[in-house]
Amino acid sequence: QEQAMKIAIVAAGFTPAEADGLRRSMATFKAQGMVTKYEQKLVDGMMKNGYSREYALRVFKQLEGFGSYGFPESHAASFALLVYISSWIKWYYPDIFCCALLNSLPMGFYQPAQIVTDARNHGVTVLPVDVNESCWDNVLEAESLNPEAQNQRRYAVRLGFRHVKGLQKESMESESDPANRKRFQSINDLRELGLTQSVLEKLADADAFNSLGMDRREALWEISTGNDRPVALFAGQSAADPSEAAVVLPKMRPSEQVLFDYASTSLSLKAHPVSFLREKFSLLRVLPTKELASCRNGDMVKVAGLVLVRQRPGTAAGVCFITIEDETGVANLVVWEILFEKYRKQILQSRLLMVEGKLQIEGEVIHVIVSQCTDCTRLLRHLSVTADEAPRVLTREDEKCIPTHLQKMPGREGGQGDIFYKGRNFR
């Protein structure tokens, strides 16, 4: 394209703006006749500069041919090279590939949760954010030799502070290299390092104090109640009141832990949110996505999952392609234009979407041709404390254990659904 612009400017007397218009017309290879409107100007300009008409027409035909074939060919070749290299790295070094992708976010179709899930499905160990182990970026930790290749070391991926919502890199600069810093023994050690109350609370929300023997609730309690900072002769010593040692905080349910993980880091290494709703979905005869492969082509099925991606390509005649994810994998959905208009609100606003449709299997490619959509986002509220649980007496310090991401006004629409990603939209 740059060569075409130079020919137009040097040989035909185009202005830079006119040459850029020619370049744009060559890129729109699906729009027939876009390059043709520049034919007369190019030929006349070249003839004015001493080129023969025959030669000028041959040059134009080359430009016209590029517009209908060369543009997609050149992009296909470069994309194929990128795909090959990426696939090679992912096959032989899935740990390094995962770490590099996470450090390159935001990019592409997928959220951190999907990259982590795929890596774990391919044998990569992923470790949580931790005040003693993590850096700002994700890093590799030596784990063990790969039994399939004795000379190849397999690494674990340690999640970095970059995944914790609300943290700034500048505030974690002193945390940049775990190998060159002393191990923290208490939260006061972190205070002495200069971390603010707000930063400590965000780290606790992310459950980053496991190496200190504290889960997120215990850490938040300690941060909120142990705000006295020993100084001078007492520096580095605990300021805890002995009477507080007997305090036993209620344990968080696994589903609550996952909810808080997503609220703080947009992913969880503990479980998938949909796994806690599987019993309810089973009553509705909703299949786990992995079971679609064992069904027959043409079967009517129900599936449900978190919405990852919605796509409506301009060349697909209004068809919408949706990818959803449950605890067993992903499912690809096809929504025809007429159905999209009918269920537009459910499709565009759902965090958790349930669909019914006909299964289409061609080789290893599986799609669900959607006939009905249901927004199940409200079910995500069941991940937090349910109404039928015995009420607990909470102190004001317990209230601080609720991240701001979860503090919703009673009756407000969305609830816990607002914690989960909305899905990425592409046109």
Side-chain angles (χ1 to χ4, degrees):
Q1 294 179 40
E2 297 298 328
Q3 290 173 333
M5 289 179 65
K6 189 171 183 179
I7 289 173
I9 293 172
V10 174
F14 276 46
T15 66
E18 291 170 335
D20 187 61
L22 174 63
R23 178 193 64 79
R24 291 174 182 273
S25 71
M26 293 169 62
T28 54
F29 63 95
K30 285 292 182 181
Q32 297 296 326
M34 291 291 291
V35 181
T36 306
K37 68 178 184 179
Y38 290 94
E39 179 180 7
Q40 193 62 46
K41 181 173 181 59
L42 184 80
V43 172
D44 290 348
M46 291 185 69
M47 291 177 64
K48 184 178 179 181
N49 286 334
Y51 297 96
S52 68
R53 179 177 179 80
E54 180 185 2
Y55 180 75
L57 286 172
R58 281 166 50 200
V59 169
F60 174 77
K61 289 298 181 183
Q62 285 187 315
L63 299 180
E64 189 178 42
F66 180 89
S68 61
Y69 179 72
F71 181 81
E73 181 191 47
S74 60
H75 281 66
S78 58
F79 184 72
L81 179 61
L82 290 174
V83 169
Y84 176 80
I85 294 172
S86 299
S87 299
W88 190 93
I89 296 173
K90 186 175 187 293
W91 176 261
Y92 289 104
Y93 302 98
D95 43 2
I96 298 173
F97 185 75
C98 171
C99 188
L101 278 184
L102 290 174
N103 285 335
S104 299
L105 293 175
M107 57 175 281
F109 276 37
Y110 299 109
Q111 303 284 350
Q114 282 76 60
I115 296 172
V116 167
T117 297
D118 181 74
R120 296 174 81 185
N121 290 340
H122 288 83
V124 177
T125 300
V126 182
L127 304 173
V129 178
D130 189 275
V131 292
N132 273 315
E133 308 294 345
S134 293
C135 303
W136 175 256
D137 286 326
N138 304 277
V139 295
L140 298 171
E141 293 184 5
E143 185 181 31
S144 63
L145 288 176
N146 182 354
E148 297 179 0
Q150 290 300 318
N151 295 325
Q152 179 181 327
R153 183 171 293 279
R154 175 60 56 86
Y155 294 91
V157 176
R158 172 70 68 176
L159 296 180
F161 296 120
R162 62 161 47 232
H163 294 291
V164 181
K165 294 178 182 177
L167 282 188
Q168 300 295 323
K169 186 175 182 180
E170 293 73 19
S171 64
M172 305 303 295
E173 282 295 334
S174 56
E175 290 278 276
S176 60
D177 187 1
N180 296 328
R181 67 180 183 224
K182 68 176 184 178
R183 291 188 67 82
F184 305 116
Q185 303 299 325
S186 68
I187 289 176
N188 276 332
D189 288 347
L190 290 159
R191 284 200 175 99
E192 292 296 328
L193 197 65
L195 298 188
T196 66
Q197 183 81 357
S198 174
V199 169
L200 291 173
E201 289 179 357
K202 288 180 173 65
L203 289 170
D205 286 341
D207 204 13
F209 288 92
N210 282 293
S211 63
L212 301 184
M214 292 184 284
D215 65 16
R216 55 164 46 93
R217 179 165 283 172
E218 293 168 335
L220 280 167
W221 178 272
E222 176 72 19
I223 291 166
S224 300
T225 59
N227 209 9
D228 293 335
R229 297 181 61 181
V231 296
L233 294 176
F234 303 99
Q237 299 183 31
S238 174
D241 188 332
S243 64
E244 294 180 355
V247 174
V248 179
L249 299 173
K251 292 293 183 183
M252 299 177 70
R253 297 186 309 164
S255 59
E256 289 180 281
Q257 292 278 11
V258 170
L259 188 69
F260 274 62
D261 285 343
Y262 270 82
S264 180
T265 63
S266 297
L267 61 92
S268 178
L269 301 179
K270 300 178 180 72
H272 192 280
V274 178
S275 65
F276 300 104
L277 304 174
R278 182 52 57 194
E279 183 177 354
K280 292 181 173 61
F281 281 138
S282 295
L283 295 175
L284 297 172
R285 298 184 178 181
V286 175
L287 296 176
T289 57
K290 73 174 183 180
E291 293 186 11
L292 295 180
S294 61
C295 297
R296 295 175 300 178
N297 184 44
D299 285 352
M300 293 298 296
V301 297
K302 284 184 180 179
V303 289
L306 298 178
V307 178
L308 301 184
V309 179
R310 306 176 189 88
Q311 297 181 76
R312 293 192 76 192
T315 56
V319 178
C320 181
F321 302 96
I322 305 174
T323 302
I324 61 173
E325 174 197 59
D326 67 9
E327 75 277 22
T328 66
V330 298
N332 296 309
L333 316 178
V334 178
V335 183
W336 302 121
E337 183 178 18
I338 188 171
L339 203 74
F340 179 86
E341 296 303 327
K342 180 178 179 181
Y343 292 105
R344 172 183 287 271
K345 181 178 179 181
Q346 290 88 334
I347 291 171
L348 295 181
Q349 297 184 7
S350 294
R351 306 289 199 279
L352 179 63
L353 181 66
M354 180 177 72
V355 301
E356 183 175 358
K358 182 181 291 187
L359 195 63
Q360 184 181 80
I361 302 177
E362 295 183 9
E364 296 183 1
V365 180
I366 301 175
H367 290 94
V368 177
I369 310 301
V370 176
S371 58
Q372 185 174 338
C373 299
T374 305
D375 184 354
C376 294
T377 305
R378 288 176 177 271
L379 290 180
L380 294 173
R381 296 178 179 178
H382 292 274
L383 300 183
S384 59
V385 179
T386 55
D388 58 355
E389 286 187 319
R392 296 195 299 238
V393 178
L394 300 179
T395 68
R396 186 162 297 278
E397 297 306 328
D398 287 306
E399 294 175 5
K400 291 183 180 180
C401 293
I402 305 175
T404 54
H405 318 78
L406 300 181
Q407 294 171 359
K408 300 292 179 183
M409 295 298 292
R412 176 177 171 179
E413 293 295 325
Q416 273 68 45
D418 290 342
I419 293 169
F420 298 97
Y421 31 77
K422 299 178 181 180
R424 296 189 175 181
N425 300 322
F426 296 88
R427 291 192 64 86

